[in-house]
Amino acid sequence: MDWMCNLKMTLCYNNKEYVLDKPIPDIDEVIATPEEIAHHKQHVDDATKVTCIMIATMVPGLQKSCKDYYPFKINLDLVEMFHKKERKERHEVFKPLLACKLKEGDYVCAHEQKMQRHVERLDKINVKLDKELSIDIVLHSLPDSYDQFIFTYHLNNTETTLTQLHNLLQNAEAGIKKSHVPTTTVDPILAINHGGGKKMKEKSQPNWKRKSYVGSSSSRSKGKAIFDVPGVSDPNETFAFTVAKGALEEKLP
């Protein structure tokens, strides 16, 4: 496959690639026009030169079987000989291309470059993907976060190239990442004091300050307060303090 690709590039540079796809036509020099005779002669000359290039660059095993033919027949024999190998290689390239999926949060630029490499490999084995099919494969590989972009793209019904699609996806990626920035709350709150500096505004602790009353539990709500329970942060400490003061109160005259 690499040999055929290099051969076609060389022939294309010299405008002789047509001899691989077109056989030398038969011509009757008696009734043929001068233009047809000149064209036939040019075709034979080009085919002879291309044959020399092909035979000279082949491995010895293929040289013996192809040396008596013109490029069109040689090309047909090679395609038939290596068709199964080409089909297998095409399958091996298509499989990762179709399985290529962009994960949420990954960069779309690196993803498209990876897919482009698979497309270039297909081109080397003479598998041409048209523009619309290539774009459909790229859009199919995008995650759910790009659903709105795909919907808008089809709704606009605009003709774009892969390069233009790449630019559109980068803009869409920037918008998607911006819309998914999490909002955070600051706790504790910073306050600015009168001295110009910042201080931390702390949450106020509950003040378990209660009144203790004289009398039994049934009449405490109606009793008289004789002291205040000091403010503490732990309600258990408040309860213990109240019990101790009540015991001392009962001993008072």
Side-chain angles (χ1 to χ4, degrees):
M1 297 301 103
D2 293 336
W3 174 83
M4 181 58 72
C5 180
N6 293 332
L7 175 66
K8 288 184 176 181
M9 291 177 61
T10 304
L11 299 182
C12 182
Y13 176 79
N14 294 278
N15 296 322
K16 292 179 173 56
E17 187 180 6
Y18 72 95
V19 299
L20 294 175
D21 303 321
K22 296 180 180 179
I24 299 176
D26 296 331
I27 187 173
D28 189 351
E29 295 183 357
V30 176
I31 61 175
T33 63
E35 292 78 8
E36 292 175 342
I37 294 175
H39 179 73
H40 180 269
K41 184 177 183 302
Q42 183 65 44
H43 196 153
V44 173
D45 292 342
D46 290 343
T48 302
K49 294 177 181 179
V50 172
T51 300
C52 295
I53 295 174
M54 296 177 72
I55 299 299
T57 56
M58 284 182 177
V59 295
L62 291 176
Q63 287 177 342
K64 296 179 181 180
S65 61
C66 298
K67 65 180 181 179
D68 297 327
Y69 300 107
Y70 278 116
F72 178 77
K73 180 65 167 60
I74 295 175
N75 188 36
L76 289 179
D77 292 344
L78 292 177
V79 169
E80 183 178 357
M81 189 181 304
F82 295 100
H83 175 71
K84 291 183 179 180
K85 182 179 179 180
E86 181 182 356
R87 181 179 178 85
K88 180 181 179 181
E89 186 172 357
R90 183 170 65 246
H91 172 75
E92 291 175 353
V93 178
F94 256 116
K95 185 176 180 180
L97 175 62
L98 298 179
C100 193
K101 302 293 182 182
L102 176 64
K103 296 181 180 179
E104 292 286 359
D106 288 353
Y107 290 101
V108 70
C109 181
H111 171 70
E112 281 198 288
Q113 290 176 352
K114 181 179 179 181
M115 297 192 71
Q116 184 63 31
R117 289 194 294 269
H118 292 311
V119 173
E120 291 174 355
R121 286 187 61 193
L122 287 174
D123 186 67
K124 287 184 177 181
I125 58 176
N126 299 323
V127 178
K128 307 294 183 181
L129 296 179
D130 59 46
K131 182 179 63 176
E132 292 184 355
L133 179 59
S134 300
I135 290 177
D136 288 341
I137 293 176
V138 173
L139 295 178
H140 179 71
S141 68
L142 300 176
D144 295 340
S145 57
Y146 287 83
D147 286 348
Q148 183 61 41
F149 169 81
I150 298 174
F151 175 78
T152 305
Y153 178 84
H154 289 303
L155 187 65
N156 292 334
N157 195 25
T158 55
E159 294 292 333
T160 58
T161 63
L162 282 176
T163 303
Q164 292 171 337
L165 178 64
H166 175 75
N167 296 331
L168 293 175
L169 285 174
Q170 284 188 314
N171 294 334
E173 178 186 43
I176 291 173
K177 290 185 180 295
K178 185 177 180 180
S179 64
H180 284 77
V181 174
T183 57
T184 58
T185 57
V186 180
D187 187 25
I189 303 174
L190 291 176
I192 301 177
N193 59 17
H194 296 291
K198 295 180 179 179
K199 65 180 181 178
M200 196 75 68
K201 185 177 180 181
E202 299 179 354
K203 294 181 179 179
S204 59
Q205 297 291 338
N207 187 4
W208 296 92
K209 184 175 181 180
R210 297 290 184 270
K211 299 287 186 178
S212 178
Y213 297 92
V214 179
S216 62
S217 60
S218 61
S219 61
R220 280 183 182 177
S221 60
K222 299 179 181 180
K224 181 180 179 181
I226 62 172
F227 57 84
D228 290 337
V229 179
V232 294
S233 60
D234 190 354
N236 294 328
E237 294 181 6
T238 302
F239 177 76
F241 183 83
T242 304
V243 172
K245 289 296 183 180
L248 291 175
E249 183 182 5
E250 292 178 357
K251 295 181 181 181
L252 292 177

